[in-house]
Amino acid sequence: MKTLLLILAALLALPVLADDGDHYYSTSNLHPDRRLDLWQKECGSCHMAYPPGLLPAAAWRKMMSRLDKHFGADASLSANEQGELTDFLVKHAGSARRVGSEVIRITETPHFVKEHRKIAESVWERASIKSAANCQACHLRAAEGDFSERQIRIPR
Ligand code: HEC
Ligand code: HEC
């Protein structure tokens, strides 16, 4: 009976583990292939390559269909590459339930807003941070998709 309870407890703990910041978005367990390389190269040249789990599939589709007008930048790709990367992002996208609505800014998803509600406006504006989209200013291992609390240092 005791073992049964232990197994039950372990099973119940599983979703909690899966919800941990460093597991859910992790990019280190993505299958290393051509698409992963392409994503890191093309989507990591102007800013860090944002882990696909940060937005739901619908948001990635919307963003990828308008790369010529990408937040004021032109990030267009060949039709082939655009297709490959859309598949890649959609395949590894976050669940809409977890990351929220279909806004295409990660920093505007309800999930992001909730996790960062305690950070004062003046902090975002520091020269060492500049933009909320500059994840790696505070999350030391953001590029690997590790947003866990022990990997956070807010710069002065
Ligand atoms: C030519 C430069 C450039 C390239 C290439 C580029 N981006 Fe961006 N991206 C930007 C700029 C500029 C912003 C706005 C940053 C800000 O507001 O601080 C942005 C913002 C974003 C955001 C929103 C961040 C937020 O505010 O939450 C996402 C998501 C994103 N890019 C994904 C991608 C993906 C996926 C690719 C590859 C297909 C890509 N980007 C390629 C320039 C680029
Ligand atoms: C100004 C520094 C700063 C920036 C920039 C920043 N964050 Fe955070 N983030 C934090 C802090 C601090 C926390 C912890 C909040 C708390 O626990 O009260 C956090 C929490 C998180 C969490 C939750 C972690 C967990 O274990 O539950 C995620 C996910 C996250 N951030 C993603 C991002 C992403 C993605 C970006 C960029 C688009 C970003 N953050 C930009 C400071 C920052």
Side-chain angles (χ1 to χ4, degrees):
M1 187 61 192
K2 216 171 185 176
T3 14
L4 200 69
L5 278 177
L6 277 176
I7 293 171
L8 202 69
L11 281 176
L12 285 174
L14 272 180
V16 176
L17 278 178
D19 218 35
D20 190 9
D22 46 344
H23 292 289
Y24 191 81
Y25 303 108
S26 180
T27 54
S28 54
N29 52 14
L30 295 180
H31 183 62
D33 63 8
R34 212 188 96 77
R35 295 192 306 174
L36 183 65
D37 293 344
L38 189 66
W39 169 67
Q40 272 162 348
K41 183 169 144 273
E42 296 296 345
C43 305
S45 58
C46 298
H47 44 66
M48 73 163 212
Y50 298 112
L54 289 164
L55 284 175
W60 287 125
R61 282 206 187 86
K62 202 191 273 178
M63 181 183 306
M64 292 302 288
S65 68
R66 301 181 42 190
L67 281 180
D68 56 327
K69 294 194 177 67
H70 181 78
F71 305 98
D74 183 355
S76 16
L77 297 166
S78 71
N80 262 349
E81 290 182 330
Q82 183 185 325
E84 273 189 85
L85 282 181
T86 306
D87 287 350
F88 172 83
L89 291 165
V90 164
K91 183 174 169 206
H92 302 292
S95 74
R97 187 185 64 79
R98 184 187 164 90
V99 284
S101 68
E102 291 175 19
V103 293
I104 60 169
R105 271 196 187 268
I106 297 157
T107 49
E108 285 173 4
T109 59
H111 178 62
F112 182 96
V113 173
K114 180 167 159 275
E115 295 289 358
H116 299 87
R117 68 191 178 284
K118 289 183 212 139
I119 298 174
E121 203 56 54
S122 58
V123 172
W124 297 119
E125 287 160 9
R126 285 181 190 162
S128 52
I129 300 171
K130 289 191 203 85
S131 163
N134 189 13
C135 319
Q136 69 274 48
C138 305
H139 294 278
L140 307 178
R141 304 191 58 220
E144 290 102 279
D146 181 352
F147 296 98
S148 58
E149 292 201 31
R150 63 186 178 281
Q151 299 292 350
I152 302 176
R153 302 277 179 287
I154 301 182
R156 295 274 113 207

